[in-house]
Amino acid sequence: MDNIRFRALEISIQRKRKPVEFPQGKASDYFGEMTFNSSAMKEYLPAEGYRQLRNVIDKGGKIDRKTADLVAAGMKAWALAKGATNYTHWFFPLTGLTAEKHDSFLDPIEGGKAIENFSGSNLSQHEPDASSFPSGGMRSTFEARGYTAWDPTSPAFIIDKTLCIPTLFVSYTGEPLDYKTPLLKSLAAIDKAAVDVCRYFDKNVSKVHATLGWEQEYFLVDSALYAARPDLVLTGRTLFGNASAKDQQLEDHYFGAIPQRVIAFMQELEIEAHRLGIPVKTRHNEVAPNQYECAPVFEEANLSVDHNQLIMHLMENIAKKHDFTVLFHEKPYAGVNGSGKHNNWSLATDTKENLLSPGKTPLENQRFLVFLVNIMKAVYDNADLLRAIIATPGNDHRLGANEAPPAIISVFLGAHLSSMISLIEKSDKKISLTARKGNSALFKNLPRIPEILVDETDRNRTSPFAFTGNKFEFRAVGSSQTCAPAMIVLNLILADQLKKFKSDTDKLIKGKMSKDDAIFTVLKKYIHESKNILFEGNSYSQDWVEEAARRKLSNHRTTPSALKAFTSRKTVRLFEDNKVLSGRELHARHEIHLEDYTKKLQIESRVLGDLTTNHIIPGAIKYLNTLCECVQRMEDVLDRHTFSMVSGSQVETITEISEHIAKVKTFVHEMLEARKAANRITDAEEKAFAYCDKVFPYFDKIRYHTNKLELLIDDEIWSLPKYRELLFVR
Ligand code: ADP
Ligand code: MG
């Protein structure tokens, strides 16, 4: 019988680099050519239509019917000129993936003919059947309709001859069933709150937008090897596999030369991304073998979130052309690094300033410190919520493991800023943050911020939330997640915090305190209240786990426990006060995440059971037979004395293998019973906890013994590609 592993290996070894077709001209010539961007709009829209649309994009508001018709006509003409045949509303249901329903432009007319048709109402609203998307029980089946509504702030684009229109997705009764709707609301909230605070320093600021630059980590694996690992195919990660003798211990992969086949994939990815207006800029090897990263230049957060979803889609498709499969799972391989998606986040004003950039003047520094301290306070107050939105079964394996931030949320500022923060906390409250006389200790320190920050802020790579010179980097986000929840929550908690700051400061000003003193007094109080969130040391260490416990910072190690924060009184108040989501919607989202967790563990547990029973144990028994036959023959051939002298090691192996098989069988059976019991539970949270506490612990127990079997059994018989092959062969 053929061993599928050897066939897969043979195919993977024979692969050659696929040639890349480079488009004519420079990247800047074709950048954005497949998007309905400003220049396409200018070309295809009448002046009035363009002006109206620009106004909505820049200032917000709704598009009227007439403008929608004008835009639709222009968009259709543009799309047809680019060869598009279909259109789709591209949206972000709560599965965390993207969804689309394609319609043709074609409409039959009299005389057996047809025309291409696309109206303002086709553009603005569309009605997919929402019943198969998760709603957390918010929608009863008779109200199965959902609406998608165009988001004009994210340009339409063409992929595979299909015009894709980024949209919001809401239920018939108006509840958001997606990530985009609350994201746009959170962006509006931070805009308003940040502008109000900026006006203390600069009256010209009238708009603030959040910026996001993501870093997408991923693994590539040869598709033939991938296909021979049902666990990778069905769960995205390896449920078995003994560590490769060599993996990342020599640290020779990080920033190393990129293999030729991988380079070809990256080049094609970059070309397609650039044609779609995604400003990807950086590519490099990551720490683990076959692990890579791709990062763009940052953009306005809503657009950047869309671009990240789009690039994940592109990566999957383009990888296939190069006979690779992309693994976005947070921990596809045990024992080597997992993949994250760092979210670099900042705020920019319409006066072209970065609010997290320490300025050159004392006034700019004062503003910088206001935003910095408010972020620190917002993260401290909402650490549980930040932990909740990165809670997924995949990330449970990554957080706190090799080279990944722990499940404890803390803030890293760098030594200089930290000491400045503690200086403010301890100093006399009369000391002003602005330069007046220039005689306070504080004043002497402030103007030096920029110089010192540059080289010191990026040192600590172990923090889940680190200040890196002119932005914060949220590193705990998982590689398979959308950036939307991180952006929603960061914008929202800061917006809420800035509102409090404004009201606290205004109260003091009304009580006749000077503006500078009022700001200083409030910051000092916030620092005092939230300084426990600051941590400069090694977040990967056990010492920090203990220290964090002393500081009473939470450390939720598993998803069901972390998810609780979704429905806490604090979270509900936060979302409701800022009109981003209602309590009912938060409960629904909580339920969706719990169900997702349970289902994923259920699938993993089934695959684990199937593969041990159908692949691993049969292979082990086959080898056992060979060994037994061998021993029997030895007994036939050898004299009694010699036989008892030399057969010992074979018999030992037979015993060892038999014991491991017995253990695996027992644990698989017990796991099945635990699963059955968990499946009988109806409450979503209780069920998720049952999977977490009762079913999941068997995964490692089973794996321990199957890994031992992998080491003992004849390589010729073992049918699942091994770690050394998945991680190295190309
Ligand atoms: P590193 O790996 O050292 O963290 P990278 O260069 O890979 O650095 O990634 C830095 C990311 O931060 C890029 O995506 C970049 O666009 C983004 N970035 C830089 N400035 C800002 C900003 N003001 N707002 C948001 N993101 C930013
Ligand atoms: Mg980074």
Side-chain angles (χ1 to χ4, degrees):
M1 198 182 56
D2 245 0
N3 182 334
I4 183 172
R5 170 171 151 245
F6 286 117
R7 267 191 284 157
L9 270 172
E10 213 173 300
I11 297 172
S12 81
I13 289 165
Q14 284 164 0
R15 302 254 203 230
K16 297 261 169 335
R17 181 189 208 265
K18 289 247 166 86
V20 179
E21 266 181 54
F22 286 91
Q24 296 277 318
K26 307 184 290 298
S28 56
D29 297 335
Y30 54 84
F31 185 82
E33 68 176 7
M34 297 312 262
T35 65
F36 195 56
N37 55 19
S38 287
S39 40
M41 285 176 197
K42 261 194 202 139
E43 192 182 333
Y44 282 89
L45 298 185
E48 178 56 16
Y50 178 73
R51 204 186 53 76
Q52 293 273 4
L53 181 59
R54 240 345 328 150
N55 209 31
V56 172
I57 293 172
D58 297 336
K59 306 220 169 83
K62 280 213 160 67
I63 296 214
D64 62 47
R65 189 70 200 233
K66 206 172 118 245
T67 312
D69 278 333
L70 288 177
V71 176
M75 211 186 259
K76 181 184 89 177
W78 171 78
L80 292 177
K82 295 271 175 199
T85 53
N86 288 60
Y87 66 92
T88 180
H89 286 237
W90 187 64
F91 57 101
F92 308 88
L94 297 170
T95 51
L97 308 170
T98 56
E100 42 200 86
K101 174 179 172 244
H102 295 206
D103 281 300
S104 163
F105 285 118
L106 203 76
D107 262 347
I109 52 166
E110 274 174 41
K113 297 221 156 236
I115 53 164
E116 272 81 18
N117 202 5
F118 184 61
S119 67
S121 59
N122 292 141
L123 167 67
S124 305
Q125 220 164 54
H126 206 73
E127 187 192 322
D129 178 1
S131 55
S132 303
F133 292 109
S135 74
M138 270 193 312
R139 184 196 43 235
S140 41
T141 35
F142 66 90
E143 280 174 352
R145 277 179 296 171
Y147 283 99
T148 55
W150 178 39
D151 165 19
T153 57
S154 180
F157 55 89
I158 297 174
I159 289 192
D160 296 334
K161 291 188 172 294
T162 303
L163 170 69
C164 301
I165 304 156
T167 49
L168 313 169
F169 183 44
V170 293
S171 76
Y172 182 59
T173 43
E175 282 121 344
L177 298 174
D178 69 348
Y179 282 112
K180 202 183 236 307
T181 312
L183 174 64
L184 291 177
K185 289 182 177 173
S186 76
L187 290 166
I190 188 66
D191 177 14
K192 164 104 187 46
V195 165
D196 285 350
V197 169
C198 281
R199 295 254 168 104
Y200 281 138
F201 311 100
D202 181 358
K203 296 280 181 237
N204 295 318
V205 174
S206 61
K207 181 151 183 73
V208 169
H209 63 259
T211 52
L212 164 67
W214 38 263
E215 296 163 62
Q216 178 71 55
E217 293 181 340
Y218 60 97
F219 280 86
L220 287 177
V221 58
D222 187 276
S223 329
L225 294 167
Y226 171 81
R229 287 287 309 220
D231 49 351
L232 270 182
V233 175
L234 297 176
T235 72
R237 73 180 183 105
T238 52
L239 299 171
F240 310 95
N242 207 51
S244 166
K246 172 185 188 292
D247 48 50
Q248 64 188 45
Q249 65 272 64
L250 297 178
E251 297 175 344
D252 50 358
H253 193 253
Y254 191 54
F255 281 16
I258 303 173
Q260 286 293 302
R261 251 180 89 196
V262 176
I263 281 276
F265 154 76
M266 287 176 168
Q267 284 170 328
E268 194 165 336
L269 174 67
E270 284 164 16
I271 293 166
E272 289 310 313
H274 288 156
R275 297 178 74 209
L276 285 163
I278 309 173
V280 285
K281 192 157 175 90
T282 311
R283 49 159 118 122
H284 62 77
N285 282 2
E286 265 303 326
V287 176
N290 266 351
Q291 191 189 24
Y292 306 93
E293 180 187 296
C294 153
V297 176
F298 70 92
E299 299 176 283
E300 182 278 311
N302 177 42
L303 187 58
S304 191
V305 169
D306 285 3
H307 278 167
N308 179 252
Q309 292 280 16
L310 190 51
I311 203 143
M312 288 170 79
H313 172 81
L314 285 182
M315 285 165 98
E316 282 176 337
N317 284 351
I318 294 170
K320 279 191 196 124
K321 287 201 209 164
H322 293 266
D323 305 309
F324 283 125
T325 300
V326 190
L327 305 178
F328 286 122
H329 194 283
E330 283 73 15
K331 196 80 178 173
Y333 305 106
V336 296
N337 278 17
S339 299
K341 172 148 43 202
H342 297 177
N343 279 217
N344 294 273
W345 168 75
S346 188
L347 296 169
T349 66
D350 55 350
T351 51
K352 305 248 177 295
E353 291 195 75
N354 177 351
L355 294 174
L356 295 183
S357 218
K360 290 183 188 62
T361 66
L363 194 69
E364 283 170 354
N365 279 336
Q366 189 186 25
R367 186 188 63 196
F368 165 71
L369 284 171
V370 164
F371 279 90
L372 191 81
V373 171
N374 275 289
I375 290 174
M376 177 182 147
K377 173 92 161 86
V379 172
Y380 176 75
D381 286 342
N382 299 283
D384 282 341
L385 178 59
L386 282 167
R387 171 65 184 96
I389 53 143
I390 50 159
T392 62
N395 229 3
D396 277 4
H397 295 284
R398 171 178 167 259
L399 297 177
N402 290 55
E403 300 277 315
I408 309 160
I409 300 290
S410 66
V411 176
F412 169 84
L413 293 181
H416 185 74
L417 273 186
S418 296
S419 64
M420 179 164 295
I421 293 289
S422 69
L423 190 65
I424 296 173
E425 191 206 356
K426 292 189 191 99
S427 66
D428 178 323
K429 74 164 176 261
K430 292 285 177 250
I431 295 176
S432 166
L433 283 173
T434 50
R436 264 180 292 176
K437 287 267 173 322
N439 54 4
S440 76
L442 207 54
F443 166 61
K444 271 189 245 145
N445 276 311
L446 281 173
R448 282 198 282 133
I449 300 178
E451 296 132 57
I452 298 167
L453 282 182
V454 180
D455 62 313
E456 81 160 29
T457 49
D458 207 25
R459 294 269 168 80
N460 191 331
R461 299 223 142 228
T462 67
S463 172
F465 193 76
F467 182 70
T468 49
N470 58 4
K471 61 192 187 293
F472 272 95
E473 185 168 340
F474 189 19
R475 297 191 178 121
V477 183
S479 49
S480 70
Q481 288 191 275
T482 126
C483 302
M487 286 299 108
I488 294 169
V489 167
L490 287 174
N491 292 322
L492 177 60
I493 61 176
L494 181 59
D496 191 68
Q497 176 53 44
L498 289 173
K499 284 201 304 200
K500 277 187 219 141
F501 169 76
K502 175 96 171 57
S503 120
D504 288 350
T505 309
D506 285 350
K507 247 183 241 152
L508 296 181
I509 295 174
K510 267 205 192 105
K512 300 283 175 263
M513 198 184 262
S514 77
K515 187 183 88 184
D516 285 354
D517 284 347
I519 289 175
F520 185 70
T521 309
V522 175
L523 290 189
K524 200 170 137 80
K525 174 169 166 280
Y526 288 172
I527 293 170
H528 185 69
E529 288 166 357
S530 61
K531 64 180 173 193
N532 267 349
I533 199 80
L534 296 184
F535 183 62
E536 299 293 306
N538 177 7
S539 304
Y540 297 172
S541 70
Q542 183 57 30
D543 288 355
W544 170 230
V545 173
E546 286 154 25
E547 166 65 16
R550 278 193 291 278
R551 294 190 193 183
K552 301 206 167 34
L553 299 179
S554 7
N555 182 5
H556 299 282
R557 287 167 190 278
T558 66
T559 294
S561 139
L563 286 177
K564 276 184 180 296
F566 258 95
T567 51
S568 71
R569 283 243 288 282
K570 197 158 59 171
T571 304
V572 173
R573 192 226 33 94
L574 174 76
F575 276 84
E576 289 197 333
D577 276 8
N578 293 284
K579 303 196 172 41
V580 172
L581 286 173
S582 69
R584 186 169 116 95
E585 286 153 9
L586 283 164
H587 276 91
R589 275 162 207 251
H590 182 221
E591 187 135 332
I592 289 168
H593 293 309
L594 288 167
E595 278 171 9
D596 175 73
Y597 177 83
T598 299
K599 282 183 196 154
K600 288 201 171 128
L601 261 69
Q602 192 174 49
I603 294 170
E604 290 191 349
S605 159
R606 283 183 183 154
V607 174
L608 202 64
D610 284 358
L611 286 186
T612 44
T613 317
N614 311 328
H615 279 62
I616 295 174
I617 295 182
I621 289 177
K622 209 165 150 193
Y623 185 50
L624 209 53
N625 267 335
T626 317
L627 288 175
C628 290
E629 272 170 30
C630 162
V631 174
Q632 233 155 31
R633 294 240 178 90
M634 281 164 82
E635 198 173 12
D636 293 347
V637 190
L638 302 171
D639 64 76
R640 193 173 264 276
H641 179 70
T642 321
F643 176 73
S644 67
M645 293 260 297
V646 297
S647 63
S649 68
Q650 271 88 340
V651 173
E652 208 175 284
T653 313
I654 291 172
T655 319
E656 254 183 86
I657 293 179
S658 309
E659 278 171 5
H660 289 306
I661 293 177
K663 284 278 189 215
V664 170
K665 284 199 105 153
T666 312
F667 288 144
V668 168
H669 176 74
E670 286 175 16
M671 177 176 73
L672 183 71
E673 291 305 312
R675 202 165 78 218
K676 277 192 201 153
N679 289 346
R680 282 193 290 271
I681 301 171
T682 47
D683 179 76
E685 186 172 43
E686 222 181 290
K687 193 169 180 166
F689 271 110
Y691 264 91
C692 179
D693 299 333
K694 301 278 165 32
V695 180
F696 182 68
Y698 283 106
F699 291 15
D700 269 352
K701 289 191 192 175
I702 296 170
R703 187 181 187 133
Y704 173 82
H705 293 283
T706 55
N707 282 3
K708 292 281 176 215
L709 286 172
E710 184 189 316
L711 285 176
L712 288 167
I713 288 166
D714 182 1
D715 190 61
E716 299 273 330
I717 295 173
W718 195 261
S719 65
L720 296 168
K722 296 182 174 180
Y723 266 33
R724 60 169 186 256
E725 295 148 358
L726 293 165
L727 285 168
F728 289 101
V729 175
R730 45 179 73 97

